[in-house]
Amino acid sequence: MASRVWFRALLTVGGIMGAALVMRCTIVPSEEQMLSRISPELRAEYERNKGKRRDAHEEIMKRIMEDSKSDKPIWLAAAASSERSKDGDDPRAK
């Protein structure tokens, strides 16, 4: 009897998760669909700023990789790195 209850519960949870996945795939537009729907001016601005966003992301990833090489816990290493960049001692700060 208890195994039947667990089976129904797992089946229900699986059905809910499957329905959520199908809804997400059908409702959420892809990046290309979003770009095709916006005005040409906004699309041009998006394309102009894409390089800046990519560079900022790469800079963040570099900092994370450098901070992860420390022997300290990551939250302490990141805080120290943040303090260095605020004080101007960090050569990575722009």
Side-chain angles (χ1 to χ4, degrees):
M1 184 74 164
S3 64
R4 178 176 266 181
V5 172
W6 278 107
F7 177 74
R8 283 185 62 198
L10 290 174
L11 189 63
T12 302
V13 169
I16 291 171
M17 290 174 66
L21 181 62
V22 167
M23 286 176 49
R24 182 195 171 276
C25 290
T26 57
I27 293 173
V28 177
S30 66
E31 185 175 354
E32 294 82 23
Q33 291 171 335
M34 287 292 292
L35 288 176
S36 69
R37 293 180 185 171
I38 62 176
S39 68
E41 295 87 17
L42 286 176
R43 190 176 313 130
E45 183 178 343
Y46 171 81
E47 293 296 330
R48 279 195 308 268
N49 293 331
K50 188 186 273 189
K52 291 178 187 176
R53 285 192 310 274
R54 187 180 321 117
D55 293 342
H57 176 72
E58 288 175 4
E59 180 65 28
I60 290 170
M61 292 306 294
K62 284 180 191 175
R63 286 183 146 209
I64 290 172
M65 293 304 291
E66 288 176 11
D67 292 342
S68 69
K69 292 177 184 176
S70 173
D71 292 340
K72 299 179 189 176
I74 190 67
W75 56 89
L76 294 177
S81 174
S82 176
E83 288 297 321
R84 281 194 310 265
S85 65
K86 285 181 185 176
D87 293 340
D89 296 337
D90 192 359
R92 298 176 296 183
K94 294 181 179 179

